[in-house]
Amino acid sequence: MNVQSRMHALLRSSPLRYYFHLAKARLAGSPQSDESVILSQIVGRSPKTFLEFGFHPTEYNCIGLSEFRGLLVDGDATTVRLARSLLPKRIEVRQSFIDLDNIESLATHFPQLGVLSVDVDGNDYWFLQALLPVRPAVIVAEYNASFGLNPITVPYDHAFDRTAKHDSGWYHGASITALTNLCKKYGYKLVAVSSAGGNAFFLPNGSDMPGLEPAQSYRESALRNRWSGTTAKDQWDRIKYMTFVDVP
């Protein structure tokens, strides 16, 4: 990791992070890219509920859904404490280290789910696979741009910690191809990718929006490239020897 990456990781793990987000919230929060704009265009008449795994108190994908009731879930105590002090009562915040044993109870929190967002930097593929039978109206899933278009995911590990798996922090989650292939099996199609790369959006096959292919939609992660001073190819060269599961 370069100096910028180390400083970023240090700030994220320090108490300063709490006060940074507190100040930021007073200026209004936002997603990391154009996720809110994309969601506003595709939610349509979906149930006004959302479930988001992995979030920052002022930067989460469903932040623009002001008429929706939501459940935000994260394992970080500081994130949850800050979110509870900032967010409206229509949004419940829960601290939980999710795994395949407890995720089902969270998936049924709402009788009908409008938007499902998964961004946990670890078992994303396996959690999405467990949640797809709930049939959310809209799916937002973070893909790992460092994996390129390879149809791969990391193996499931109930205690997954990307910083412990590889010192770069780039070994986690699944590629956009793997997530698209998974969603296809459940009747969903890829319809959008955030402009900064990293988040893919899926709708049921019956929706009016045209489907996209990963090869035409993939974008590198602008945030990761900027902080690390590398490209997706550089990142892949660092982690390609790790263990992967092929999911064609």
Side-chain angles (χ1 to χ4, degrees), residues 204-236:
N205 286 338
S207 71
D208 293 334
M209 291 191 67
L212 304 174
E213 292 300 324
Q216 71 185 96
S217 310
Y218 167 83
R219 293 185 176 96
E220 296 191 22
S221 171
L223 183 63
R224 175 167 293 180
N225 288 7
R226 183 168 67 249
W227 275 105
S228 67
T230 64
T231 65
K233 182 182 183 303
D234 298 327
Q235 296 152 22
W236 174 244

Side-chain angles (χ1 to χ4, degrees), residues 226-246:
R226 183 168 67 249
W227 275 105
S228 67
T230 64
T231 65
K233 182 182 183 303
D234 298 327
Q235 296 152 22
W236 174 244
D237 286 341
R238 286 275 306 276
I239 58 177
K240 62 185 179 183
Y241 65 88
M242 300 290 287
T243 302
F244 295 95
V245 178
D246 291 321

Side-chain angles (χ1 to χ4, degrees), residues 18-112:
Y18 180 93
Y19 297 104
F20 168 77
H21 283 295
L22 187 63
K24 184 175 181 180
R26 291 173 180 169
L27 299 174
S30 66
Q32 292 187 38
S33 180
D34 58 344
E35 288 84 1
S36 285
V37 174
I38 295 173
L39 277 176
S40 69
Q41 295 171 342
I42 68 176
V43 289
R45 297 183 179 179
S46 71
K48 294 186 181 300
T49 58
F50 70 80
L51 172 60
E52 184 156 347
F53 293 95
F55 70 97
H56 298 294
T58 58
E59 295 178 357
Y60 58 96
N61 291 331
C62 296
I63 198 168
L65 301 178
S66 58
E67 298 180 358
F68 283 53
R69 292 183 299 126
L71 173 61
L72 297 172
V73 183
D74 198 275
D76 183 75
T78 301
T79 294
V80 170
R81 177 167 62 98
L82 178 57
R84 286 174 175 165
S85 69
L86 294 175
L87 299 179
K89 294 186 181 299
R90 63 182 175 80
I91 300 178
E92 181 181 344
V93 184
R94 189 175 302 183
Q95 182 183 359
S96 177
F97 291 95
I98 57 173
D99 56 32
L100 291 179
D101 293 325
N102 64 18
I103 198 169
E104 186 174 347
S105 62
L106 296 168
T108 56
H109 183 79
F110 296 112
Q112 292 184 304

